[in-house]
Each structure stands twice: as C-alpha cells, then as structure tokens.
Amino acid sequence: MDRDGIALAPGEASGLSQEAGSVEQLSLHCAEGSLEWLYPTGALRLRLTPRLPPTTAAVKGGSPQHVTACVKPTGTFRGAQLYLEREGVLELLLPEAPRPRARCFSWLPQEKVALFLQATPHPDISRRIAAFRYELRGDWLARPALPTASLGAEGACRPCNDTEILMAICTSDFVIRGSIRSVSNDAELQESIIGVSATRIHRQKFPLFQVGGRPGRPVGSIRTPLRCGVKPGPGTFLFTGWLHFGEAWLSCAPRYRDFQRIYEGAQRARQNPCEFPVD
C-alpha cells in the first residue's frame, strides 16, 4: 500500500509505523490483489472502491446491480481479525488463524462498505503477519457457486435457467464440453471437486484443462460448494464458470443436449446474446 491510500497488488503495510489504537485509512481499487500487514498494531480500514472491468452487465448494456467481493486468508494469517463494515455495522469475516477458505459478500453500488482489519493484542508481534487475497467483481449474472454461505445456498445450488445459461456461455472464464470422471468431497473446506474429462474446450482464459488421462483428452477439476450435493453421472455436459483465486468454480452445467435445444430456440427467436458453435 502506498501512503496515499491507493491499493497496489500485491500490497504491503506494517504496524511498526502505527501507534497502538490508531486506525489507518487505505483504499482497494484493484479488481484483485493481495495485502500483507506485517506486525499488526492498531487497525486498518480498507475502503472498497473498485474500478471494475467489463462484466456480464456490459453485455446487457447496463451497469452492475451489485458488487461482489471475496477474501481468502493465507495459511499464515495471524495477529488480526478481519471484519466487514457495512453502514457502520461490523460483521466478522476472518477470525485469527482462520481456515484457508474464501468468504464472499455483496453490496449495492450506492452502499458504503469497507474491510476493517483489527490487530489482536499479543506480547510479541514480531512473527505475526495478517495476509489475504481479495477479488472485487461486478454483478455475476450466472450466479457462481462460490465457497461461502453468505451468498445463500439456494442461489448457489439451484439449476441455471435458460437466460443464465445463454449469458454464461458468452461471459464465463471457461466453457468446457465434457463428462464427469469423478466427484470428491473436502469436508474441511466444504467443497466438492468435480473431475472433468473435456471433449472440447470452447473457452478458457487460463490453462485450467490440460492433456492427461485418456490419450489426447484434456482433464481438469471444477469446484462447487459441498452443500450442493453434486453426484457423478453419465452423459455430456457444458461446464461454465469463473476463475476464483486460481481455481475453477462452477456456475452453470446443463446437459449438452439441453443446451443445444435452448441455444437453437434462442437463435430462432433472435435472442441469443452471442454466437456459439453448436454441432
């Protein structure tokens, strides 16, 4: 962090320059980044004022209905607690020494929100670092199944409707046609990991799926909250979703034959938001 309160990615602050009980005001403008607070003392108040890149709302010609932020602590997060400050009310997001799980929350553009990083008293602060990664995004129309209860189980786990599927193929970080190889569950992180064998990679912003397993067929993994109860099953699906702290997270996954029907119907009605290869 620079001293003018402009967020850098990654950013670094030090409690050695602060007085006990003081609150330093900083801002997070970047769409994603990280923050390290060395030797926490006093508190940091981090205003959330993202300069957002184009989102799904841009496809519809509007502005985001809400902004979503996610924070994920490092495995060495110590010496502080992280709170969400919304309209003057504090909500604990990360206790000291939290599990390395992401926490997400949303707010309306006109709302004033901030992150409040409060140092916890310790006789020796020399080995304590409060560090986390963050993401700030505009409206996710396709409802990514993010790893947090704060977005609501119903919203994260219900099947996508036709409009959400059509938007997902146009705007997602990845669009993969393939089948489910396996499903494993991580009870500690409350995540399910879906092993996917891809028959066609329509889009991936990063090399999430690479050749392995069966000759010439890319494989990869996609995550979803454990509460969604994903089960392995036969058939071909169209997997769409978002990159979330370097991991693929599911938004919509219709059976491919259902997607074909939806897309071809939208084409006939001239309501498809983008062109997509269907065979």
Side-chain angles (χ1 to χ4, degrees):
M1 295 282 181
D2 71 3
R3 304 305 297 179
D4 294 325
I6 298 177
L8 305 177
E12 185 175 289
S14 173
L16 295 180
S17 62
Q18 288 184 243
E19 297 181 3
S22 66
V23 179
E24 185 164 355
Q25 304 280 342
L26 301 169
S27 295
L28 299 182
H29 294 304
C30 301
E32 59 184 71
S34 61
L35 182 140
E36 285 189 349
W37 191 19
L38 311 178
Y39 325 124
T41 302
L44 297 179
R45 186 175 183 272
L46 311 171
R47 295 185 297 270
L48 301 179
T49 55
R51 292 187 287 263
L52 295 172
T55 65
T56 51
V59 178
K60 299 183 71 178
S63 58
Q65 295 179 355
H66 65 266
V67 182
T68 297
C70 296
V71 295
K72 186 175 184 179
T74 65
T76 57
F77 187 99
R78 298 291 187 279
Q81 294 181 318
L82 182 66
Y83 295 85
L84 168 64
E85 178 187 319
R86 189 198 305 266
E87 303 295 337
V89 179
L90 295 179
E91 173 191 346
L92 180 63
L93 290 177
L94 302 177
E96 187 172 11
R99 290 184 295 175
R101 294 179 56 191
R103 290 292 307 274
C104 300
F105 53 93
S106 298
W107 70 94
L108 298 173
Q110 64 268 26
E111 287 185 291
K112 293 182 179 180
V113 297
L115 295 175
F116 193 79
L117 197 56
Q118 174 72 56
T120 52
H122 290 280
D124 178 14
I125 65 170
S126 62
R127 297 184 179 181
R128 302 187 185 278
I129 301 175
F132 63 88
R133 298 168 64 188
Y134 68 87
E135 295 178 344
L136 304 175
R137 287 202 177 189
D139 197 16
W140 267 305
L141 290 182
R143 296 174 5 268
L146 296 177
T148 172
S150 61
L151 291 183
E154 186 275 335
C157 298
R158 69 170 175 83
C160 294
N161 60 35
D162 292 0
T163 300
E164 290 165 339
I165 290 171
L166 292 171
M167 292 301 298
I169 64 169
C170 302
T171 60
S172 296
D173 288 342
F174 63 88
V175 182
I176 307 292
R177 190 194 314 180
S179 57
I180 298 175
R181 301 171 62 239
S182 63
V183 175
S184 59
N185 297 320
D186 188 322
E188 180 180 2
L189 296 179
Q190 289 294 293
E191 298 172 2
S192 292
I193 299 94
I194 307 168
V196 173
S197 177
T199 56
R200 181 169 181 180
I201 298 175
H202 293 279
R203 179 169 66 253
Q204 59 174 350
K205 291 186 177 179
F206 300 92
L208 302 170
F209 286 76
Q210 301 181 9
V211 175
R214 294 175 58 180
R217 179 165 291 191
V219 296
S221 60
I222 302 174
R223 296 170 186 268
T224 192
L226 181 62
R227 66 177 181 269
C228 293
V230 174
K231 303 292 183 184
T236 300
F237 298 83
L238 193 65
F239 299 95
T240 69
W242 305 93
L243 193 68
H244 181 60
F245 294 120
E247 298 170 336
W249 281 83
L250 186 68
S251 59
C252 299
R255 290 189 178 273
Y256 188 69
R257 64 174 182 268
D258 294 331
F259 163 72
Q260 287 178 304
R261 173 183 53 79
I262 294 167
Y263 183 79
E264 290 168 358
Q267 265 192 322
R268 288 192 296 271
R270 297 185 178 182
Q271 292 180 346
N272 52 310
C274 66
E275 294 296 324
F276 191 86
V278 177
D279 49 43

